[in-house]
Amino acid sequence: MGLYEVHSRKHARAIEVFRKVLELDPKRDDARRHLAEALLETEQYEESEKHVRYLIARNPDDHDMSTALAHCLIEQGDVAGARSHLESLLAKKSNVYAARMLMGQLELKANNPEKAAEWLAPLVKERPHEYKARFNYATALRQSGKLEEADE
């Protein structure tokens, strides 16, 4: 039931369903994961963070949830915590695309466009048709004064 709502972009209903599932069975990590993702999608970062941290404690190698935690931290203003968390994740597993993307976005928010471009350039090469990577990379280049390169 809840997954249908997520895929239908009915996040409020999905959140309600996943909360009910966890009320009935708190050990349902699958429902907790979907709840955390739906909360993140609806910008309910504080509550999402609680579920994400629970899931990471149960599975420290869950790179998706580690990236989600960094996203929560950034959106709650803890850029230093997010940076530290992403650096730790990327030191263990350097090819996590979402974590590298988030690191590029973090550098953009921190007004470090050159560093952002360093993170984003390889992503654009890996997935040249991905809009978000191309847009963020072009933004980093523009902010670095590389206007001609950004227009390519």
Side-chain angles (χ1 to χ4, degrees):
M1 176 90 153
L3 288 178
Y4 171 77
E5 279 80 7
V6 168
H7 293 296
S8 300
R9 314 282 305 158
K10 298 176 183 174
H11 292 96
R13 176 71 180 125
I15 289 168
E16 183 182 316
V17 169
F18 293 131
R19 281 182 178 146
K20 184 67 173 172
V21 169
L22 289 175
E23 184 181 304
L24 297 171
D25 185 358
K27 294 181 181 178
R28 288 280 308 269
D29 287 353
D30 59 329
R32 188 176 304 278
R33 179 187 193 87
H34 293 305
L35 174 59
E37 291 168 345
L39 290 165
L40 188 63
E41 187 72 26
T42 57
E43 301 178 359
Q44 297 178 59
Y45 304 115
E46 190 174 331
E47 185 179 353
S48 180
E49 179 185 350
K50 291 174 188 172
H51 295 290
V52 167
R53 286 188 183 279
Y54 174 89
L55 291 165
I56 291 171
R58 291 184 46 87
N59 182 5
D61 294 327
D62 187 336
H63 307 304
D64 292 334
M65 286 296 103
S66 286
T67 303
L69 176 58
H71 187 169
C72 289
L73 294 173
I74 289 169
E75 296 301 335
Q76 293 179 88
D78 186 2
V79 175
R83 181 186 306 280
S84 174
H85 187 74
L86 286 169
E87 287 172 348
S88 175
L89 169 60
L90 291 165
K92 291 184 256 176
K93 185 89 172 167
S94 64
N95 67 341
V96 178
Y97 186 90
R100 293 183 295 149
M101 172 71 83
L102 201 52
M103 190 62 116
Q105 291 172 314
L106 184 147
E107 294 296 359
L108 277 174
K109 283 187 178 205
N111 293 316
N112 297 322
E114 293 84 9
K115 287 184 180 180
E118 289 175 21
W119 282 106
L120 297 165
L123 303 182
V124 171
K125 287 184 175 121
E126 284 175 38
R127 299 183 188 176
H129 300 293
E130 184 164 323
Y131 173 79
K132 189 174 187 179
R134 289 183 13 248
F135 177 81
N136 287 329
Y137 182 54
T139 300
L141 292 173
R142 278 191 194 86
Q143 289 178 5
S144 298
K146 299 177 182 176
L147 301 178
E148 287 181 24
E149 200 174 334
D151 289 338
E152 290 177 9

